[in-house]
């Protein structure tokens, strides 16, 4: 059989497979031979392995659950087929092959038809460093519902002879799962606080520059994104020599110190909505009018109320609440930037949106300084060690690769921030220079000192940013029209609230016990399963998806841990999981409708 053409046809039929370019050096140094007994012998440089197909019966899938199964190694087709035979019909299968030689051999000598005949099966074969990029895309699908039921299966070669690669795969998957779950938010209440701020700040959109008109206005101009990591202490003085030759984009944490140093930021970026951000960085401070405030509507309202300079209020790229808002307000063009999870991400998103290149990272340590107590540069609120200790004492520390090699101490949160940078740079092909000169290593960046950056990229004076902004119009919004839109949205979501309440009552009234008959159990399950329609309703509306996503995902995670067997205990568990979602849904819709009504009234002011 011509396996090569057959397998190429199979792989070409599914665009979800990720097949990276082979490493020619790896393939040149590795090959497989078959001995007289039919054993496959893998020669990998100076190492020699006998490839075996030996199923690990101690690590089988659970056929009664919906699992996300990661199988490492494609060469052992027999093992993979056993995993497929044992998995649940609704489980998902991801096969990971990080070794280009083994994939190349399998492509030519193995029958990979199972990739076509198995529902929910997808292949990743590339460097492990690219695995997060694949997973980021993969977990935008319904696969996100499976992250609480992940199972790993390592084929014989990877569990016995290539343990280092197996550990690297697990680490990459763990990091991206933590990153994605953090991106989806912590709770519905957390999302509603954000929505409350968005609605209170809605009127300020009329003061903001039209972000779509800002796009690429500073193409190929160097931009320095200044964060407040401890390494900034040693090179902040060098900013003086390039401040007129690059766009200076500062996080709010460091903005006051820059101003005190005579370095006026072109943009000051914020993201946090708590009162502390206002108190620490804005209350009682008067920033130069040359500094433009950039932040989403979610900021603490007094920040927008009291800021005297110009405003740039972007939508959040890929965030449902802002997709909904942009749609209902009929805002055209690219009004979104990549905001991510921190004010440094906002600053980076600004640089990206204006077309700046290269983007230069400064003070982006994402790790502790010379000691675990050193968290930020001097001249910030973090000089207060009592405050720093209270904020970081409960953090779980871990180690990651350092800027200069070796390991540095970081936190899970900082590590997640680093992952965001790496994903953004890699997926968008950005030219980024890390001039932090300390802290964590950020993949896909070039490491240069700030002095080297100045000599190579910041030699010419740029057009003042304020001058560029003065030529850009504000959003084309009218408060009277905005008021009408909020009233229409109130009526729409009030109707959805009534539908939720009806299903909530139906599920709550079910009386299931160990004495329930098979017919009663099936009838109850049918009514419970109608909640699936409300999951779909949430997914089809961007505002509901944003506000209810944490509750929906948690409910589905709980549902997926329940074995698919019709017993009273399982149906009671399903009833509780569905009620958890419906109860929170009714609560959230009450909040949403009340806030929409209040917002409509406030737009008269």
């Amino acid at each position: 059989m011509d396996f090569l053409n057959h397998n190429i046809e199979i792989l070409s039929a599914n665009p979800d497979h990720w097949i990276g370019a082979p490493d020619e050096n790896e393939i040149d140094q590795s090959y497989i031979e078959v001995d007289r007994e039919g054993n496959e012998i893998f020669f990998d440089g100076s190492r020699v392995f006998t490839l075996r197909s030996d199923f690990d019966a101690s690590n089988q899938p659970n056929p009664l659950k919906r699992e996300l199964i990661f199988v490492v190694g494609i060469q052992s087709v027999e093992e993979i087929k056993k995993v497929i035979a044992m998995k649940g019909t609704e489980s998902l299968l991801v096969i990971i092959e990080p070794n280009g030689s083994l994939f190349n051999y399998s492509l030519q000598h193995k029958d990979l038809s199972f990739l076509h005949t198995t529902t929910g099966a997808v292949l990743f074969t590339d460097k492990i460093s690219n695995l997060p990029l694949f997973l980021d895309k993969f977990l935008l699908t319904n696969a996100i519902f499976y992250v609480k039921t992940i199972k790993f299966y390592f084929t014989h070669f990877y569990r016995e002879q290539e343990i280092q690669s197996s550990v690297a795969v697990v680490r990459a998957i763990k990091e991206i799962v933590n990153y994605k779950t953090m991106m989806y938010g912590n709770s519905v209440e957390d999302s509603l606080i954000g929505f409350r701020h968005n609605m209170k700040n809605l009127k300020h959109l009329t003061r903001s520059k039209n972000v779509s008109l800002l796009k690429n206005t500073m193409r190929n101009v160097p931009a320095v994104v200044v964060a407040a990591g401890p390494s900034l202490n040693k090179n902040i003085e060098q900013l003086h020599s390039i401040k007129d030759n690059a766009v200076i984009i500062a996080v709010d944490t460091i903005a006051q110190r820059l101003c005190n140093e005579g370095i006026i930021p072109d943009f000051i970026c914020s993201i946090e909505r708590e009162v502390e951000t206002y108190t620490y960085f804005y209350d009682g401070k008067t920033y130069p009018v040359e500094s433009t405030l950039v932040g989403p509507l979610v900021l603490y309202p007094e920040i927008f109320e009291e800021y005297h300079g110009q405003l740039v209020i972007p939508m959040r790229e890929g965030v449902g609440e802002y997709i909904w808002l942009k749609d209902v307000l009929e805002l055209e063009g690219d009004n979104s930037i990549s905001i991510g999870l921190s004010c440094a991400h906002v600053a980076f998103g600004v640089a990206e949106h204006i077309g700046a290149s290269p983007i230069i990272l400064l003070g982006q340590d994402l790790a502790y300084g010379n000691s675990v107590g050193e968290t930020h540069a001097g001249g910030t609120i973090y000089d207060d060690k009592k405050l720093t200790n209270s904020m970081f004492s409960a953090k779980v520390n871990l180690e990651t690769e350092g800027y200069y090699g070796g390991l540095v101490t970081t936190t899970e949160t900082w590590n997640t921030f680093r992952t965001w940078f790496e994903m953004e740079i890699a997926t968008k092909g950005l030219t980024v220079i890390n001039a932090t000169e300390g802290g964590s290593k950020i993949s896909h960046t070039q490491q240069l000192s700030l002095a080297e950056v100045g000599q190579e990229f910041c030699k010419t004076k740029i057009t003042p940013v304020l001058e560029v902004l003065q030529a850009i119009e504000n959003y084309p919004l009218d408060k009277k029209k905005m008021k009408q839109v909020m009233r229409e949205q109130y009526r729409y979501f009030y109707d959805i609230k009534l539908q939720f309440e009806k299903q909530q009552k139906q599920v709550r009234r079910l009386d299931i016990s160990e004495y329930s008959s098979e017919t009663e159990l099936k009838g109850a399950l049918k009514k419970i399963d109608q909640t699936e329609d409300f999951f779909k309703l949430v997914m089809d509306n961007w505002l509901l998806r944003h506000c209810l996503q944490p509750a929906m995902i948690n409910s589905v995670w709980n549902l997926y841990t329940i074995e698919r067997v019709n017993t009273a205990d399982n149906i009671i568990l399903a009833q509780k999981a569905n009620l958890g979602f419906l109860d929170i849904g009714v609560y959230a819709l009450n909040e949403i409708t009340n806030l929409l009504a209040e917002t409509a009234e406030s737009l008269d002011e």
Side-chain angles (χ1 to χ4, degrees):
M1 181 177 181
D2 181 5
F3 284 117
L4 180 61
N5 289 328
H6 173 69
N7 288 333
I8 289 175
E9 184 178 346
I10 286 171
L11 294 174
S12 300
N14 187 348
D16 294 332
H17 295 314
W18 179 296
I19 302 172
D23 185 328
E24 296 298 334
N25 290 330
E26 180 184 52
I27 293 175
D28 288 344
Q29 295 173 15
S30 305
Y31 60 96
I32 295 176
E33 290 183 356
V34 179
D35 66 16
R36 293 178 180 178
E37 286 74 36
N39 297 313
E40 294 171 320
I41 312 299
F42 179 38
F43 297 85
D44 187 15
S46 61
R47 301 185 302 168
V48 181
F49 306 101
T50 299
L51 299 177
R52 294 171 52 193
S53 183
D54 186 7
F55 184 71
D56 182 7
S58 68
N59 194 26
Q60 307 177 33
N62 186 335
L64 301 178
K65 287 187 177 181
R66 290 171 280 195
E67 297 177 317
L68 173 54
I69 305 167
F70 289 98
V71 174
V72 184
I74 195 171
Q75 180 271 337
S76 185
V77 171
E78 293 78 9
E79 288 186 74
I80 297 173
K81 286 182 177 179
K82 285 188 179 180
V83 170
I84 292 171
M86 293 179 174
K87 76 178 185 68
T89 56
E90 295 181 75
S91 291
L92 303 180
L93 182 71
V94 179
I95 299 164
I96 297 171
E97 180 52 78
N99 188 296
S101 294
L102 289 177
F103 170 67
N104 190 47
Y105 176 79
S106 301
L107 193 63
Q108 299 184 58
H109 300 282
K110 303 288 182 176
D111 185 356
L112 305 183
S113 296
F114 61 88
L115 287 169
H116 178 66
T117 57
T118 305
T119 303
V122 65
L123 169 68
F124 169 89
T125 175
D126 200 353
K127 300 179 183 69
I128 295 174
S129 59
N130 286 329
L131 182 56
L133 302 179
F134 162 76
L135 291 172
D136 183 59
K137 179 181 178 183
F138 180 69
L139 292 174
L140 289 174
T141 67
N142 286 346
I144 189 65
F145 296 133
Y146 290 76
V147 299
K148 293 296 184 182
T149 54
I150 286 177
K151 178 177 283 292
F152 290 96
Y153 181 89
F154 301 94
T155 56
H156 183 269
F157 172 71
Y158 281 98
R159 70 175 180 266
E160 297 292 337
Q161 299 169 114
E162 194 58 37
I163 295 173
Q164 187 174 354
S165 293
S166 299
V167 170
V169 166
V170 173
R171 184 184 297 115
I173 291 172
K174 181 180 177 182
E175 283 190 1
I176 198 66
V177 166
N178 287 340
Y179 163 70
K180 295 298 283 188
T181 51
M182 183 177 286
M183 288 291 287
Y184 280 116
N186 298 318
S187 68
V188 170
E189 182 56 42
D190 189 63
S191 298
L192 288 172
I193 290 171
F195 183 60
R196 195 171 295 123
H197 283 192
N198 278 314
M199 290 296 96
K200 189 165 185 179
N201 288 327
L202 191 63
K203 59 187 177 183
H204 296 297
L205 273 182
T206 59
R207 292 174 52 204
S208 168
K209 293 295 182 181
N210 186 338
V211 176
S212 68
L213 300 179
L214 187 62
K215 190 173 179 67
N216 292 328
T217 50
M218 289 162 249
R219 180 177 284 281
N220 296 326
V221 173
V224 183
V225 174
V226 189
S231 294
L232 185 65
N233 289 328
K234 65 185 178 185
N235 53 18
I236 191 170
E237 282 296 324
Q238 296 173 31
L239 268 178
H240 284 281
S241 63
I242 64 172
K243 65 180 181 179
D244 296 325
N245 302 340
V247 182
I248 306 297
I249 309 174
V251 302
D252 49 20
T253 318
I254 203 66
Q256 186 65 63
R257 179 175 175 191
L258 290 180
C259 290
N260 293 344
E261 297 266 356
I263 302 166
I264 307 304
D266 296 301
F267 297 101
I268 297 174
C269 300
S270 281
I271 190 173
E272 298 294 343
R273 63 196 175 198
E274 287 82 7
V275 65
E276 287 81 7
T277 298
Y278 166 70
T279 303
Y280 293 150
F281 309 128
Y282 295 96
D283 188 21
K285 293 180 173 60
T286 303
Y287 290 111
V289 292
E290 294 91 340
S291 295
T292 296
L293 174 65
V294 183
L297 287 170
V298 76
L299 295 187
Y300 193 75
E302 274 70 15
I303 295 176
F304 286 129
E305 291 284 352
E306 298 176 9
Y307 197 82
H308 299 297
Q310 296 191 98
L311 302 181
V312 169
I313 304 177
M315 301 295 110
R316 293 193 67 166
E317 184 180 64
V319 175
E321 183 174 9
Y322 294 91
I323 298 172
W324 163 81
L325 187 61
K326 181 179 175 180
D327 182 51
V328 298
L329 293 179
E330 298 179 348
L331 291 176
E332 298 180 351
D334 186 1
N335 293 295
S336 301
I337 70 169
S338 298
I339 286 180
L341 301 163
S342 72
C343 51
H345 291 165
V346 178
F348 188 89
V350 171
E352 178 189 330
H353 189 80
I354 64 177
S357 185
I359 300 173
I360 301 141
L361 301 179
L362 193 64
Q364 196 57 251
D365 290 61
L366 299 172
Y368 292 103
N370 295 325
S371 67
V372 172
E374 190 180 3
T375 62
H376 291 76
T380 70
I381 60 160
Y382 298 101
D383 288 343
D384 183 346
K385 294 305 176 186
K386 189 174 182 181
L387 172 67
T388 303
N389 291 337
S390 67
M391 293 179 70
F392 287 86
S393 60
K395 297 285 186 183
V396 177
N397 294 334
L398 49 94
E399 291 184 324
T400 189
E401 184 178 0
Y403 186 93
Y404 293 114
L407 296 175
V408 294
T409 305
T410 184
T411 68
E412 188 172 336
T413 300
W414 285 339
N415 226 24
T416 302
F417 292 171
R418 175 183 57 78
T419 299
W420 183 93
F421 279 116
E422 293 174 346
M423 299 291 296
E424 193 73 9
I425 296 165
T427 55
K428 297 185 178 176
L430 303 173
T431 300
V432 180
I433 297 169
N434 189 357
T436 297
E437 301 179 60
S440 298
K441 178 181 176 64
I442 301 175
S443 297
H444 315 300
T445 65
Q446 180 184 1
Q447 294 186 176
L448 295 174
S449 69
L450 190 57
E452 291 171 323
V453 168
Q455 292 168 7
E456 186 172 349
F457 299 103
C458 305
K459 297 180 288 188
T460 307
K461 191 171 183 178
I462 68 170
T463 302
V465 172
L466 193 62
E467 186 178 318
V468 175
L469 289 175
Q470 285 171 345
I472 295 174
E473 297 178 356
N474 288 0
Y475 281 121
L477 291 170
D478 172 75
K479 285 187 179 179
K480 188 175 291 186
K481 175 71 181 299
M482 293 166 69
K483 180 184 182 75
Q484 179 185 342
V485 168
M486 291 302 111
R487 282 178 168 171
E488 291 170 354
Q489 290 299 302
Y490 164 80
R491 290 189 288 269
Y492 173 77
F493 285 105
Y494 187 80
D495 180 63
I496 292 176
K497 179 173 80 83
L498 296 179
Q499 296 176 47
F500 260 78
E501 288 174 340
K502 183 178 179 181
Q503 177 65 4
Q504 178 194 38
K505 289 175 183 176
Q506 174 173 263
V507 174
R508 179 167 283 117
R509 286 172 183 161
L510 295 173
D511 187 13
I512 307 300
S513 72
E514 59 182 308
Y515 304 108
S516 299
S517 67
E518 183 68 22
T519 301
E520 289 171 330
L521 292 176
K522 287 182 179 178
L525 186 59
K526 184 178 180 180
K527 291 180 179 178
I528 290 171
D529 282 348
Q530 289 174 16
T531 305
E532 295 279 348
D533 295 335
F534 291 84
F535 291 146
K536 185 176 185 304
L537 191 155
V538 169
M539 292 298 289
D540 288 345
N541 182 277
W542 284 109
L543 178 59
L544 283 183
R545 182 188 294 198
H546 177 76
C547 291
L548 286 174
Q549 196 163 240
M552 182 175 68
I553 288 176
N554 279 317
S555 292
V556 176
W557 284 345
N558 291 332
L559 286 170
Y560 281 18
T561 62
I562 302 170
E563 293 187 341
R564 303 287 281 172
V565 180
N566 262 8
T567 66
D569 286 344
N570 285 345
I571 291 176
I572 289 170
L573 288 173
Q575 180 187 26
K576 288 180 179 177
N578 279 274
L579 270 180
F581 166 69
L582 292 166
D583 289 348
I584 293 175
V586 170
Y587 163 74
L589 281 159
N590 269 319
E591 291 292 303
I592 288 170
T593 50
N594 288 339
L595 286 167
L596 287 168
E598 291 172 9
T599 302
E601 292 306 311
S602 71
L603 288 168
D604 284 331
E605 299 173 7

